[in-house]
Amino acid sequence: MSNPYGFETRCVHGRPDRAFEDGARSVSFPIYQTATFGHTFIGHGQFNYTRQDNPTRLHLEETVAALEQGVDAIAFASGMAAISAVMELFSPGDHVICGEDLYGGTTRLFNNVNIKNGVGIEYVDTTDIAKVRAAVRPETKAIYLETPTNPMMNVSDIRACAAVAKETGALLIVDNTFLSPYFQKPLLLGADVVIHSGSKFLSGHNDTISGFVVVKDQALAERVRLLGKTTGGMLAPFDSWLVMRGIKTLALRMEKAQQNALRLAKALRENPHVTAVYYPGLPEHPGHELSLRQTSGFGGMLSFRVDSRETAERVLLGVKLVTFAETLGGTESLITYPLTQTHEMVAEDIRERLGITDTLLRLSVGIEDAEDLLADLTQALEG
Ligand SMILES: *Cc1c(COP(=O)(O)O)cnc(C)c1O
């Protein structure tokens, strides 16, 4: 859908030609807290039953579609519900090439559910396009990746993966949770499907869970919508409203988080207890050049390695302003221990190869004062 407005305007107002206008024209879109909708004729109305369709969720979906520049977005009750629905596109015998450095819950879904149901999942280093191409088989139906990855911040070439997917007749599915459409628009780089955990930057306040599937093809949108309605993990009206409210400030939050992340990345690099900093915004990061070509920013996520497990524990338990907690992408800065919190499901050999060890820490940088965050991390590192 063509949209005359810039990104920030879309964040605040959604689509200019909303499919549904509430009669009172309230500035804050109303929460249609209802299970069902009355009909005035025989057949399906514009809205029928909230699992299937709801005006509040629809407004949010139109907003997210407008941000990613897709034809449609479907809102789910969590990122995992969104990914589960997308994986229902595949049948026993189908082959899916997946990045090996994925969100731990995604790996758990693939390993415990999709493989059981006969979908062949093959983990590949998607930062190496030759490895992606070499993994293609006649039955390959999709390439699934995250970029930058969680937690190693590795960057994959979306355009190059899209070219391989196109040659193969497979879908390219990109989980865009880490950068949000503010910094990266995979559909414009050739991807077919974008996934979001809306629990992270989109909602942005660590106060709700949600997920999205955004597509650029109408027929595929209808298939995913039908899968959502059928499997039932759709986002509730109140949560839809919360995510919508969060999105209004997405651009401002992403800018501030990035500014803070760059400040922390540079300062941590100089700390004697820190042995490596993984942030694509640093010129020495292996994905820096590629990021400059495919994104408009580096985001608010970074990981760093410390000199020992003792230091890692001291930081996790010693921070006072930053919270030691899972999740990311909110106004509050959080620090995570990927080894035990988010990536215990990843096979040990892959973990070792990637560097997800007992000295690795992941930081979701919030929008606080950068100097306060730095002072807190410094005192925790020094102990
Ligand atoms: C959190 C996350 C998910 C899962 O989303 P939930 O909303 O927690 O279900 C998927 N992908 C990435 C990259 C994530 O960070």
Side-chain angles (χ1 to χ4, degrees), residues 130-183:
K131 289 189 178 150
V132 176
R133 187 167 282 118
V136 169
R137 300 184 202 162
E139 60 275 22
T140 301
K141 291 287 159 54
I143 301 173
Y144 185 109
L145 58 89
E146 292 174 19
T147 180
T149 59
N150 178 9
M152 297 311 299
M153 306 305 294
N154 292 321
V155 181
S156 293
D157 188 334
I158 297 175
R159 285 190 190 89
C161 289
V164 173
K166 200 160 185 200
E167 283 163 30
T168 313
L171 295 173
L172 176 63
I173 306 170
V174 177
D175 183 330
N176 200 28
T177 300
F178 262 39
L179 286 181
S180 90
Y182 183 67
F183 285 132

Side-chain angles (χ1 to χ4, degrees), residues 93-369:
D94 287 352
H95 177 240
V96 179
I97 299 171
C98 301
E100 59 181 1
D101 188 10
L102 295 177
Y103 174 70
T106 303
T107 308
R108 183 170 55 217
L109 173 74
F110 292 169
N111 291 352
N112 293 350
V113 179
N114 302 120
I115 291 178
K116 165 179 73 70
N117 293 341
V119 178
I121 300 282
E122 184 171 350
Y123 295 104
V124 168
D125 175 5
T126 53
T127 64
D128 183 344
I129 194 66
K131 289 189 178 150
V132 176
R133 187 167 282 118
V136 169
R137 300 184 202 162
E139 60 275 22
T140 301
K141 291 287 159 54
I143 301 173
Y144 185 109
L145 58 89
E146 292 174 19
T147 180
T149 59
N150 178 9
M152 297 311 299
M153 306 305 294
N154 292 321
V155 181
S156 293
D157 188 334
I158 297 175
R159 285 190 190 89
C161 289
V164 173
K166 200 160 185 200
E167 283 163 30
T168 313
L171 295 173
L172 176 63
I173 306 170
V174 177
D175 183 330
N176 200 28
T177 300
F178 262 39
L179 286 181
S180 90
Y182 183 67
F183 285 132
Q184 176 169 274
K185 296 184 188 66
L187 298 181
L188 300 188
L189 300 168
D192 301 285
V193 179
V194 163
I195 303 271
H196 275 285
S197 168
S199 324
K200 316 294 168 58
F201 287 103
L202 288 180
S203 62
H205 293 71
N206 291 324
D207 58 8
T208 189
I209 303 290
S210 64
F212 296 89
V213 178
V214 195
V215 293
K216 67 177 178 199
D217 172 78
Q218 191 58 46
L220 187 58
E222 279 160 24
R223 283 176 71 197
V224 176
R225 238 177 222 293
L226 183 63
L227 284 170
K229 171 178 127 178
T230 305
T231 55
M234 308 303 280
L235 191 62
F238 180 64
D239 298 272
S240 298
W241 184 85
L242 275 177
V243 180
M244 210 142 63
R245 186 168 74 159
I247 286 176
K248 287 176 199 271
T249 56
L250 177 66
L252 299 173
R253 288 185 287 103
M254 293 307 295
E255 283 293 342
K256 177 62 175 163
Q258 165 165 267
Q259 203 184 318
N260 285 355
L262 190 59
R263 169 78 180 113
L264 293 182
K266 286 182 176 162
L268 285 171
R269 201 169 48 171
E270 307 304 322
N271 188 292
H273 291 289
V274 175
T275 58
V277 176
Y278 307 93
Y279 182 61
L282 295 175
E284 68 268 25
H285 187 278
H288 182 71
E289 292 299 320
L290 177 55
S291 294
L292 289 173
R293 279 186 274 127
Q294 72 180 13
T295 73
S296 56
F298 308 104
M301 295 299 301
L302 65 89
S303 294
F304 62 103
R305 195 175 298 289
V306 292
D307 51 14
S308 68
R309 184 186 179 106
E310 290 65 43
T311 304
E313 286 175 3
R314 197 167 67 234
V315 172
L316 292 167
L317 302 178
V319 282
K320 297 190 173 82
L321 177 60
V322 177
T323 304
F324 171 28
E326 279 177 47
T327 200
L328 61 105
T331 41
E332 297 82 9
S333 294
L334 305 178
I335 192 160
T336 311
Y337 201 33
L339 181 68
T340 62
Q341 281 182 308
T342 53
H343 284 69
E344 55 182 345
M345 280 308 295
V346 175
E348 206 180 319
D349 60 320
I350 294 184
R351 246 177 12 214
E352 288 284 319
R353 182 148 37 87
L354 292 171
I356 305 173
T357 68
D358 62 359
T359 55
L360 186 77
L361 299 168
R362 187 191 78 184
L363 195 59
S364 170
V365 184
I367 63 168
E368 301 96 333
D369 184 318

